[in-house]
Amino acid sequence: MRMRAIQSLSLGPHPPQSFITSSNSWKPPSSSSQMPSDELAAYLRRRDGLIAEDRALRIDHVRADSYSEAERKADRVVRSIRAKENISVWGVDHEHVPHPYPGMEFLNAKEIIMKTDLYSKIVSKMPKGGLLHVHQNASVEARTVLDLALGHPAIHICVSGPLNAASLETVLPKIYPIPVEEYPAADAIGITDPLYTGGWVPIKKARELFDPALGGPAGFDKWVLSTFVINPTDAFKTYNTPMKIWLKFGSTFSVTDPIIRFVPIQKEYLRMFIRSSIDDGISYIEIRTSFFKKYILAEDAKTKLESREILLIFREVTNEMKAEMKAKGREDDFAGLKIIYNTLRIVSSEALKADLDQCIKFKKEFPDLIAGFDLVGHEDGEECKPLVYYAEPLLHFAKEHPDIPFIFHAGETLGDGTAADMNLYDAILLGTKRIGHGFSLAKHPKLMQICREEKIAIEVCPISNEVLRLTSSMPMHPLPIIMNQGIPVVLSSDDPAMFNSMGLSFDFFQVLVASEVTGLLTLGQMARDSITYSMLDEPSKRAAMEAWKRRWDKFVEEVAKMNP
Amino acid sequence: MRMRAIQSLSLGPHPPQSFITSSNSWKPPSSSSQMPSDELAAYLRRRDGLIAEDRALRIDHVRADSYSEAERKADRVVRSIRAKENISVWGVDHEHVPHPYPGMEFLNAKEIIMKTDLYSKIVSKMPKGGLLHVHQNASVEARTVLDLALGHPAIHICVSGPLNAASLETVLPKIYPIPVEEYPAADAIGITDPLYTGGWVPIKKARELFDPALGGPAGFDKWVLSTFVINPTDAFKTYNTPMKIWLKFGSTFSVTDPIIRFVPIQKEYLRMFIRSSIDDGISYIEIRTSFFKKYILAEDAKTKLESREILLIFREVTNEMKAEMKAKGREDDFAGLKIIYNTLRIVSSEALKADLDQCIKFKKEFPDLIAGFDLVGHEDGEECKPLVYYAEPLLHFAKEHPDIPFIFHAGETLGDGTAADMNLYDAILLGTKRIGHGFSLAKHPKLMQICREEKIAIEVCPISNEVLRLTSSMPMHPLPIIMNQGIPVVLSSDDPAMFNSMGLSFDFFQVLVASEVTGLLTLGQMARDSITYSMLDEPSKRAAMEAWKRRWDKFVEEVAKMNP
């Protein structure tokens, strides 16, 4: 029975089309009769058996017997839409996008993707389960962050000297909340004024006074936003290697971080992140939050509050959002949020110990909020230390605090046998519960076996990997290798603000169009696994899964009814 | 013992540098003493054990106990040179190559590569063993082909009308041998002459008369050569997707094929291919030769000789080259050449049967020359049929003619579950002895297991895969995945004329710089495997292996003596 189900996925009534021109619909011709010869029939049976055996470890095939009729029908509808759009959308040239194909570079493809039925009618509506890998300071879209900054009188901007058309290309602004006593005089001039000498200007005023020759307020927005995000030119030209793109990537954080590290904005930022996640069908969040900087700025833009304040905000906003959803009768749509405490993998071993101690303290006070511990940063970067460097304090912590699991970034690299790649050995030996990225995992047969057997889920971040140039497109991504080895996968957005890829829909979309094996049922299993491999306690996990299942059943019923 | 050897490869006295900035030289600091704690020491032992287990299937580790002192020393020398050049060569900007890195796009990197010590002193001197995947009609470098054409009075050129600066960019020439009675009048004008109306012009004359405003003879060469090869602009701009680059790739064959399919040039072409291969350290060749076109043009440029003539040429030239090497006392340097008969995977099932019959006929007459059978073409292409389409005649052939093994191209694709990807199932079920490309094999756990257990070697073509855009760089290539699964690999050049990557040195180089695990010993094992998995009969294989071993021992002695 399972073999038949698998067969129908790959050679079903709607033969999938891939890369526009290739097709699985070929049937061997029989030269002598209408029916295949006995020998050929036997061959085709062996072939079916081999395909089934090869795919037997995949999540969608492991559970193949349990799909409902509606699920199977919905899967066929989705495959049919995909096949049609491979030709109608990805098979034609678009303005400014001369070489489109399914799973192409996201930053170039985004506008095309949003116009597809597959995105707008299917993937964007799908209940996604948990978002388990997202960085707090990259979780709200750039335009919203700018609006938050423009909306608060404390936020000021400063550049080194008057901006002009040339310097716009390279100058990064400082955008900071400053205390009222440091506000400039009311007649402060704008940052494009030739007389401007580099002091603070209220951001709203700087925008209003922005030189009309540079586009005025709209030009201001365009420039500032270009420093908040990675643009196609950054990713595909100026910084088109994995090493170089991190220069740009890092700069986006340095520009936006001071805006967010400010209590009144932080609160609203978190609220907006949760709300937009819910809108995208995400019902649970584990958010990596950096405690590398040891403060958050109070409303007065002067007082440095200690990091505990951040946890108070998270608790307050999460409870508020849960109450809001409950009030709307939408309890199924939000099961809550937890924090994965992280610091940067540039700290000394001593500093790490201080962080581990702080994490323990937080866990005691906020047991439901702290889900785990992680170290983040550019694994290939010169300043970053490998996990083995921290082996001693981490071993000690693991022994003493089994209630705070490690959820390590590891193997976010193209390296083979480099320090970043070797981090996978340490992450696993140190007992990581999941692996952030694990991009280089496919190179490690023993580690893949361990991940499969010990159910260490991989937080795969398709668009992040592509924008940060670990892969040039989704069809080049190693995801199918990992999936076919039976390793659990949860799709994640990583730093959606910087990649302009808010929510999980774009990541799900790219995965769906880059494979003929993967279908809606596969995405559904990934969503399910994002709850299974979450750090929710068992009762909450069961409740979240039941809530997801109710939404999923409704969703597939609707998709199954579509006439593709 | 093995574990220690492995450990010394990865954390030895010359810590490998990768991607310039990351390093394996990190050691965990011990906070309390000079010696690591017991717990840490135990951890590091577990870590060593896990790394060893993870790499246990690799060819270089399977044989790790048998390396000589000279081999180990040579491997360290090579790692040291690589580490230094990662900084001195790949860590600095070069004119016209703004973002260099090890394993970057070959067409942009070639000139840099040739200046490295790693290439010029090591890889180019290494005895490579067999070249098992190369297409006959893409085996001699473009400049040489043009010179052969210029050297034969029968070769004429024709374009549709007078060439100018604009049309140079797009017009493809016809370059054909024509019979003497069709030669144009002696006062024929050149192809850039405004009065030219499109007839045949002797190629030599067309070159001499080429408009000085378009560069004269040098401009002619530049233009013609640009139609023989894939240029960086083709690969990275104009046709920068796997589907599109095949348009350009196909056109290079259509331009050069008529020049080569001409007895006097074919002979010299083959001679030059073998000679340049020997110069590059290749000592044995299995050459894929297309019999899709059923003739070769005789010296009179008129008579269509049947395909058997091609085998006569191959036998004659191979024997001649063996005699030549013997006369020079260099018998070890050339063990011979065999043909893998192929036709295009666009033919009907009936036409395939005719090809199989011809292959059988050839095998009877030239038993030592015919090594196997293959079907070639763009697997993702619209016109190409999947292997399953031909299952019946191929099954029949396999049963009747076990002396002519299949050596199929399969999985040369980014597709996941597409017809091209599914070809891997059929190649294996039909009993292929090796797999050409197998680029998508890493996605198939069961097929990898079969390849490992049944010793089906994968003919990996690194530069081909990169230029044809299956991978954007060598660090993105799935080769380490395949190797770490214990699947035998032979590195191959595929179509070196089109990629401007003559010999095997460039492919070996790209593999060597893209991994910290791979070293000289790995390349040596690949060379060894290229003889092991060749179609040589057992006595010839033993002799070829012994000859290779003599050269290898001499080579590693020399490398070991170097002062890096």
Side-chain angles (χ1 to χ4, degrees):
Chain A
M1 186 57 196
R2 183 186 301 165
M3 270 170 54
R4 189 158 301 277
I6 291 160
Q7 179 62 7
S8 78
L9 287 178
S10 61
L11 291 167
H14 302 278
Q17 287 271 334
S18 170
F19 298 88
I20 299 102
T21 56
S22 70
S23 157
N24 275 335
S25 60
W26 290 103
K27 291 270 185 286
S30 179
S31 53
S32 49
S33 71
Q34 288 297 95
M35 292 294 290
S37 70
D38 285 355
E39 198 186 6
L40 181 60
Y43 175 82
L44 293 176
R45 278 194 303 274
R46 280 174 64 211
R47 187 178 192 265
D48 287 351
L50 182 61
I51 295 168
E53 219 181 326
D54 193 43
R55 295 181 181 169
L57 298 171
R58 287 176 60 96
I59 40 162
D60 40 9
H61 289 182
V62 166
R63 295 166 177 161
D65 285 347
S66 64
Y67 295 126
S68 68
E69 260 319 296
E71 281 178 306
R72 288 173 201 276
K73 176 121 196 283
D75 191 81
R76 287 195 298 272
V77 166
V78 166
R79 287 172 189 273
S80 176
I81 295 173
R82 177 173 68 189
K84 282 185 187 165
E85 292 187 337
N86 274 352
I87 295 162
S88 66
V89 175
W90 303 108
V92 297
D93 279 357
H94 297 255
E95 212 186 339
H96 311 306
V97 187
H99 301 157
Y101 59 95
M104 67 177 288
E105 313 86 62
F106 172 71
L107 298 179
N108 288 334
K110 185 176 175 184
E111 288 189 21
I112 303 175
I113 291 172
M114 292 178 73
K115 286 183 207 145
T116 64
D117 283 353
L118 199 60
Y119 177 84
S120 64
K121 296 188 181 167
I122 310 280
V123 178
S124 65
K125 313 282 192 206
M126 179 186 152
K128 314 280 190 315
L131 168 52
L132 303 186
H133 186 124
V134 62
H135 293 272
Q136 185 267 340
N137 49 352
S139 63
V140 172
E141 70 175 345
R143 178 72 242 182
T144 306
V145 176
L146 178 54
D147 287 340
L148 286 173
L150 288 167
H152 201 287
I155 305 291
H156 288 65
I157 189 169
C158 167
V159 286
S160 55
L163 280 180
N164 54 45
S167 62
L168 267 192
E169 301 281 317
T170 53
V171 166
L172 293 179
K174 274 190 182 178
I175 305 177
Y176 279 51
I178 62 171
V180 69
E181 56 271 29
E182 290 178 25
Y183 283 13
D187 60 352
I189 55 177
I191 58 177
T192 50
D193 192 306
L195 299 176
Y196 171 74
T197 55
W200 291 115
V201 180
I203 187 167
K204 211 171 160 181
K205 188 164 183 184
R207 181 176 186 270
E208 281 158 12
L209 297 178
F210 207 67
D211 188 351
L214 298 175
F220 175 88
D221 292 354
K222 193 178 161 205
W223 165 62
V224 172
L225 291 174
S226 78
T227 70
F228 284 15
V229 303
I230 296 177
N231 288 315
T233 309
D234 301 323
F236 310 129
K237 282 200 184 146
T238 322
Y239 308 96
N240 67 358
T241 72
M243 287 306 288
K244 299 213 168 177
I245 191 67
W246 273 79
L247 298 175
K248 167 70 189 186
F249 185 48
S251 83
T252 62
F253 284 94
S254 69
V255 176
T256 53
D257 199 67
I259 306 172
I260 308 164
R261 190 172 295 285
F262 178 45
V263 168
I265 288 188
Q266 173 106 159
K267 249 185 220 182
E268 192 53 23
Y269 184 90
L270 183 59
R271 216 173 265 132
M272 286 178 156
F273 165 57
I274 296 176
R275 223 172 251 146
S276 74
S277 298
I278 294 171
D279 286 349
D280 192 57
I282 293 162
S283 51
Y284 170 69
I285 296 164
E286 286 177 16
I287 191 163
R288 275 167 170 89
T289 306
S290 176
F291 293 91
F292 175 71
K293 288 188 182 156
K294 302 300 176 202
Y295 70 92
I296 180 165
L297 216 51
E299 177 100 49
D300 64 9
K302 196 161 54 178
T303 313
K304 288 187 169 183
L305 303 170
E306 59 179 28
S307 301
R308 179 178 173 273
E309 195 68 27
I310 297 172
L311 282 97
L312 291 172
I313 293 172
F314 274 71
R315 185 162 68 183
E316 179 193 329
V317 174
T318 302
N319 288 339
E320 176 197 313
M321 295 305 298
K322 284 182 89 163
E324 185 180 310
M325 295 309 286
K326 191 171 180 179
K328 289 182 185 165
R330 291 177 60 192
E331 285 144 297
D332 278 0
D333 295 1
F334 187 53
L337 172 147
K338 289 184 189 293
I339 287 173
I340 299 170
Y341 182 111
N342 68 248
T343 185
L344 296 183
R345 55 207 325 152
I346 59 171
V347 299
S348 68
S349 205
E350 284 307 312
L352 178 73
K353 283 175 203 164
D355 264 304
L356 290 167
D357 286 344
Q358 177 166 271
C359 182
I360 295 162
K361 218 179 76 187
F362 286 167
K363 180 70 183 176
K364 278 184 191 139
E365 188 177 353
F366 306 91
D368 288 345
L369 208 47
I370 297 291
F373 185 88
D374 189 13
L375 283 153
V376 310
H378 184 200
E379 285 182 82
D380 282 322
E382 216 159 22
E383 294 174 1
C384 281
K385 296 177 175 66
L387 283 175
V388 69
Y389 177 85
Y390 303 114
E392 199 164 26
L394 293 174
L395 279 167
H396 182 78
F397 182 86
K399 206 157 84 180
E400 300 293 319
H401 300 281
D403 57 326
I404 311 177
F406 294 135
I407 307 174
F408 286 132
H409 277 72
E412 187 185 4
T413 182
L414 286 175
D416 184 36
T418 60
D421 179 37
M422 307 285 277
N423 276 339
L424 286 168
Y425 295 114
D426 295 290
I428 287 171
L429 283 172
L430 292 166
T432 198
K433 287 286 177 195
R434 298 193 304 260
I435 294 174
H437 290 289
F439 191 89
S440 69
L441 181 68
K443 291 170 184 165
H444 301 283
K446 182 66 192 174
L447 301 186
M448 287 198 289
Q449 184 196 333
I450 293 172
C451 289
R452 174 173 63 244
E453 288 172 359
E454 299 188 6
K455 303 281 184 199
I456 301 172
I458 313 303
E459 301 160 355
V460 172
C461 307
I463 290 171
S464 168
N465 297 156
E466 187 260 299
V467 174
L468 297 180
R469 307 280 77 199
L470 293 183
T471 183
S472 288
S473 67
M474 204 48 215
M476 277 187 210
H477 195 286
L479 173 61
I481 303 173
I482 300 293
M483 284 181 62
N484 291 350
Q485 292 280 349
I487 298 163
V489 163
V490 293
L491 295 185
S492 303
S493 60
D494 201 12
D495 305 280
M498 279 62 179
F499 311 140
N500 204 2
S501 60
M502 302 313 302
L504 276 174
S505 293
F506 293 114
D507 286 290
F508 273 66
F509 182 92
Q510 290 290 73
V511 167
L512 181 60
V513 295
S515 164
E516 292 298 321
V517 186
T518 290
L520 186 66
L521 298 178
T522 326
L523 299 189
Q525 296 292 7
M526 286 173 165
R528 188 187 297 261
D529 278 355
S530 70
I531 296 167
T532 303
Y533 299 104
S534 73
M535 294 299 133
L536 284 165
D537 59 50
E538 285 308 317
S540 308
K541 195 180 282 189
R542 266 196 305 278
M545 189 68 94
E546 280 160 20
W548 176 82
K549 187 71 171 53
R550 282 188 288 273
R551 297 176 68 194
W552 171 256
D553 288 345
K554 201 170 152 225
F555 167 72
V556 293
E557 288 287 349
E558 278 160 19
V559 175
K561 273 185 265 171
M562 285 183 191
N563 203 349
Chain B
M1 185 59 194
R2 183 188 299 166
M3 268 170 53
R4 188 157 301 277
I6 291 160
Q7 180 61 8
S8 77
L9 286 180
S10 62
L11 289 168
H14 302 277
Q17 288 272 335
S18 170
F19 297 88
I20 297 101
T21 55
S22 69
S23 156
N24 274 335
S25 60
W26 289 105
K27 292 269 186 285
S30 178
S31 53
S32 49
S33 72
Q34 289 296 95
M35 292 292 293
S37 70
D38 285 356
E39 199 186 7
L40 181 58
Y43 175 80
L44 294 176
R45 278 194 303 276
R46 280 174 64 210
R47 186 178 194 266
D48 286 352
L50 182 60
I51 295 168
E53 217 181 328
D54 193 43
R55 296 181 180 168
L57 298 171
R58 287 175 61 94
I59 40 162
D60 40 10
H61 289 185
V62 166
R63 293 166 179 162
D65 285 345
S66 65
Y67 294 126
S68 69
E69 261 319 297
E71 281 178 306
R72 287 173 201 277
K73 176 117 197 285
D75 191 81
R76 287 196 297 272
V77 166
V78 166
R79 285 172 190 274
S80 177
I81 296 173
R82 179 173 66 190
K84 283 184 186 166
E85 292 187 337
N86 273 353
I87 295 162
S88 65
V89 175
W90 302 108
V92 296
D93 278 358
H94 297 256
E95 212 186 338
H96 311 306
V97 187
H99 300 158
Y101 59 94
M104 66 179 287
E105 312 87 60
F106 172 71
L107 299 178
N108 288 335
K110 185 177 175 184
E111 288 188 21
I112 303 175
I113 292 172
M114 291 178 74
K115 286 183 205 145
T116 63
D117 282 353
L118 199 60
Y119 178 84
S120 64
K121 295 187 181 167
I122 310 281
V123 178
S124 65
K125 313 282 193 205
M126 178 186 153
K128 313 281 191 315
L131 168 53
L132 303 187
H133 186 124
V134 62
H135 292 272
Q136 185 266 340
N137 49 352
S139 63
V140 172
E141 72 176 342
R143 177 73 244 182
T144 307
V145 176
L146 178 54
D147 287 341
L148 286 174
L150 288 167
H152 202 287
I155 306 292
H156 288 65
I157 189 169
C158 167
V159 286
S160 55
L163 282 180
N164 54 46
S167 61
L168 266 192
E169 301 282 316
T170 52
V171 166
L172 293 178
K174 273 190 183 178
I175 305 178
Y176 279 51
I178 62 171
V180 69
E181 57 270 29
E182 289 178 25
Y183 285 13
D187 60 351
I189 55 175
I191 58 177
T192 51
D193 192 305
L195 299 175
Y196 171 74
T197 55
W200 291 114
V201 180
I203 186 167
K204 210 171 161 182
K205 188 165 183 182
R207 182 177 186 270
E208 282 157 13
L209 297 178
F210 207 67
D211 188 349
L214 299 175
F220 175 87
D221 292 354
K222 193 179 160 203
W223 164 62
V224 172
L225 291 174
S226 77
T227 68
F228 283 16
V229 303
I230 296 175
N231 288 315
T233 310
D234 301 324
F236 310 131
K237 283 201 182 143
T238 322
Y239 307 96
N240 66 358
T241 71
M243 288 306 287
K244 299 212 169 177
I245 191 66
W246 273 80
L247 297 175
K248 167 70 189 186
F249 185 49
S251 83
T252 62
F253 284 94
S254 69
V255 176
T256 52
D257 199 66
I259 305 172
I260 308 164
R261 189 172 296 284
F262 178 44
V263 168
I265 287 187
Q266 172 106 158
K267 251 186 220 183
E268 192 53 23
Y269 184 90
L270 183 59
R271 217 172 264 133
M272 286 176 156
F273 165 57
I274 296 176
R275 223 172 250 144
S276 73
S277 297
I278 293 171
D279 287 349
D280 192 57
I282 293 162
S283 51
Y284 170 70
I285 297 162
E286 286 178 14
I287 191 163
R288 274 167 171 89
T289 306
S290 173
F291 294 91
F292 175 72
K293 288 188 181 156
K294 300 301 176 200
Y295 69 92
I296 180 165
L297 216 51
E299 176 101 48
D300 64 7
K302 196 162 55 179
T303 314
K304 289 187 169 183
L305 302 170
E306 60 180 27
S307 301
R308 179 176 172 275
E309 195 69 27
I310 297 173
L311 282 98
L312 291 173
I313 292 173
F314 273 72
R315 184 161 70 184
E316 178 193 329
V317 174
T318 301
N319 289 339
E320 177 197 312
M321 296 305 299
K322 287 182 87 163
E324 186 181 308
M325 295 309 286
K326 192 173 180 178
K328 288 183 186 164
R330 291 178 59 192
E331 285 143 297
D332 277 1
D333 296 2
F334 187 53
L337 171 148
K338 290 184 190 292
I339 287 173
I340 299 170
Y341 183 111
N342 68 250
T343 186
L344 295 183
R345 56 205 327 150
I346 59 172
V347 300
S348 69
S349 205
E350 283 308 312
L352 178 73
K353 283 176 201 161
D355 264 303
L356 291 167
D357 287 343
Q358 177 166 270
C359 182
I360 295 161
K361 219 178 76 187
F362 286 167
K363 180 71 181 174
K364 279 187 189 136
E365 187 177 353
F366 306 91
D368 289 344
L369 208 48
I370 298 291
F373 185 88
D374 189 12
L375 281 155
V376 310
H378 184 201
E379 286 183 80
D380 281 322
E382 215 160 22
E383 293 175 0
C384 280
K385 295 176 176 68
L387 283 176
V388 68
Y389 177 84
Y390 303 113
E392 198 163 28
L394 293 174
L395 280 166
H396 182 75
F397 182 85
K399 204 156 86 181
E400 301 292 321
H401 300 280
D403 57 326
I404 312 177
F406 293 136
I407 306 174
F408 284 133
H409 277 69
E412 186 185 6
T413 182
L414 286 175
D416 184 36
T418 59
D421 179 37
M422 306 285 277
N423 276 339
L424 286 168
Y425 295 113
D426 295 290
I428 286 171
L429 283 172
L430 292 166
T432 199
K433 288 286 176 195
R434 298 192 304 261
I435 293 174
H437 291 287
F439 190 89
S440 70
L441 181 68
K443 291 170 185 165
H444 302 282
K446 183 65 191 172
L447 301 186
M448 288 197 288
Q449 183 196 334
I450 294 172
C451 289
R452 174 172 63 244
E453 290 172 357
E454 299 188 7
K455 303 283 185 196
I456 301 172
I458 313 303
E459 301 161 355
V460 172
C461 306
I463 290 172
S464 168
N465 296 157
E466 187 259 297
V467 174
L468 297 180
R469 306 282 76 199
L470 293 183
T471 183
S472 288
S473 67
M474 204 47 215
M476 276 187 210
H477 196 285
L479 173 61
I481 304 173
I482 300 293
M483 283 180 63
N484 292 350
Q485 292 278 350
I487 298 163
V489 162
V490 294
L491 296 185
S492 304
S493 59
D494 202 12
D495 305 280
M498 279 60 179
F499 310 141
N500 205 2
S501 62
M502 302 313 301
L504 275 173
S505 293
F506 292 114
D507 287 289
F508 273 65
F509 181 93
Q510 290 290 73
V511 167
L512 180 61
V513 295
S515 164
E516 293 297 321
V517 186
T518 289
L520 186 65
L521 298 178
T522 326
L523 299 190
Q525 296 292 8
M526 286 173 166
R528 191 188 293 264
D529 278 354
S530 69
I531 297 167
T532 303
Y533 299 103
S534 72
M535 294 300 134
L536 283 165
D537 59 51
E538 284 308 317
S540 309
K541 195 180 280 188
R542 266 197 304 279
M545 188 67 94
E546 281 160 21
W548 176 82
K549 188 71 173 47
R550 282 188 289 272
R551 297 177 69 195
W552 171 256
D553 288 346
K554 200 169 151 228
F555 167 72
V556 292
E557 288 289 347
E558 278 160 20
V559 175
K561 273 185 265 170
M562 285 182 192
N563 202 349

